Amino acid sequence: MIVVAGEALIDLVPAPVTFDPAPALPPLLPQRGGGPYNVAVALGRLGSPTSFCSRVSTDAFGTALLAGLRDAGADTELVQRGPEPTTLAVADVGSDGSAGYGFYTEGTADRLFALPPALPDGVTALSVGTCSLVLEPGASAYEALLRRESARGVFTALDPNIRAGLIADADAYRKRFLSWLPYVALLKLSVEDARWLADTDSDEDLDGHLAAWLEQGPAAIVLTRGGDGLSVWSRGAGRVSVPGTAVTVVDTIGAGDTVNAALLHRLREIDALSHAAVAGLDAEVWRDVLGFAARAAAFTCSRSGAEPPYAWELSA
């Protein structure tokens, strides 16, 4: 089983305006989301045994979030509950489909996540990331979970999914990120995340940072470039790239989360959910894994909100 740990929240996404004149404020549609939550839903839809590990509100939004996980086939036994409100994220979708976010996180349930007992023996992988590794006191609990499960041999995946507006001290966070790398088997980053973490706009400088990060622990680093595709820096195959899948973009909400889930799902299918196995993958296998992730992300981009594909859609 793959455990996904991190926040679950409600995205408030602008609804299409189909009348004139436009209102002074756009109507907002609540949609289930949060990076780790989207990963768990995507894994469930793809058919991987999945469990979500978080703290979710007992309010109506929290109830809807749990229903979405169960509908996708994800287990919720590791979910903690609390009376605090659900975190809200307000999405600002640009003309190209890209999304920026404003967050309402003060006093919300997922910030109070507590380190659970050791995960069940049947757990083969743990995926963490996004806001859950920023907002205390939960961030320290998620970090402790990452370190503990890595130490006992669980395959670990990290997607920082940077939300700079939530990070009060950029330099301190960058140092904390480096401290996680020895405990990470698979690091997934968008090119924007990687540049922020490296504090550079230079492609050459970024390549140097990626090589240095790879030496500090991960078996592979996957970099997403939006419509330009995906690349991997790996110990066994070096650098391998695949193009993006052409699609009419509605928005990019959840696309990176779908990539994260698709990578884990495909690695599970080829029995490669271990540091040694990922480190030994050759270029041909990586092209297959990355190509699958690119196709999955394209489906998500073709519809509004974080709506990852089902297995049957990718096999059709």
Side-chain angles (χ1 to χ4, degrees):
M1 176 177 286
I2 299 172
V3 171
V4 184
E7 79 277 358
L9 53 80
I10 294 295
D11 285 324
L12 298 177
V13 181
V17 178
T18 58
F19 53 88
D20 188 36
L25 294 174
L28 298 174
L29 297 177
Q31 297 184 355
R32 293 173 292 214
Y37 180 90
N38 295 337
V39 173
V41 169
L43 279 166
R45 289 184 178 186
L46 291 173
S48 281
T50 306
S51 183
F52 188 57
C53 182
S54 183
R55 191 169 188 275
V56 174
S57 176
T58 54
D59 66 14
F61 283 146
T63 299
L65 287 165
L66 290 184
L69 289 165
R70 292 171 181 141
D71 288 346
D75 182 82
T76 59
E77 288 299 313
L78 294 174
V79 173
Q80 304 164 19
R81 303 300 301 275
E84 302 80 15
T86 298
T87 296
L88 301 178
V90 180
D92 180 14
V93 180
S95 59
D96 62 351
S98 62
Y101 297 90
F103 292 90
Y104 296 84
T105 64
E106 193 63 34
T108 52
D110 53 6
R111 293 190 66 167
L112 300 179
F113 173 79
L115 178 66
L119 299 181
D121 290 338
V123 171
T124 54
L126 170 68
S127 175
V128 297
T130 316
C131 309
S132 55
L133 287 168
V134 175
L135 300 172
E136 296 289 7
S140 291
Y142 286 112
E143 180 178 334
L145 179 65
L146 169 67
R147 293 173 183 264
R148 186 188 72 192
E149 297 303 313
S150 173
R152 72 184 192 101
V154 173
F155 182 86
T156 53
L158 170 65
D159 178 8
N161 201 359
I162 300 298
R163 302 297 181 223
L166 292 176
I167 299 174
D169 186 334
D171 288 338
Y173 183 86
R174 290 178 179 121
K175 290 178 182 177
R176 196 171 187 181
F177 162 74
L178 294 177
S179 78
W180 298 328
L181 295 182
Y183 304 93
V184 173
L186 177 65
L187 174 63
K188 177 262 173 189
L189 300 163
S190 70
V191 67
E192 295 82 8
D193 292 342
R195 285 174 176 158
W196 188 93
L197 287 163
D199 195 19
T200 184
D201 290 325
S202 163
D203 287 342
E204 182 178 353
D205 192 31
L206 180 58
D207 285 349
H209 276 83
L210 290 166
W213 295 341
L214 189 65
E215 289 301 314
Q216 294 181 54
I221 300 174
V222 173
L223 191 70
T224 64
R225 302 180 182 276
D228 293 330
L230 295 86
S231 299
V232 65
W233 279 254
S234 79
R235 294 177 180 269
R239 181 175 177 177
V240 180
S241 298
V242 300
T245 300
V247 67
T248 300
V249 175
V250 174
D251 65 51
T252 62
I253 297 172
D257 307 324
T258 299
V259 167
N260 208 18
L263 293 171
L264 291 168
H265 175 76
R266 199 61 151 186
L267 291 173
R268 174 184 167 273
E269 285 191 319
I270 62 173
D271 196 25
L273 282 180
S274 74
H275 192 288
V278 169
L281 296 180
D282 62 25
E284 182 179 357
V285 174
W286 272 117
R287 289 189 189 96
D288 170 76
V289 172
L290 296 178
F292 178 79
R295 294 194 302 275
F299 271 93
T300 302
C301 291
S302 71
R303 41 211 188 192
S304 178
E307 288 293 340
Y310 292 86
W312 65 265
E313 293 180 288
L314 291 172
S315 61

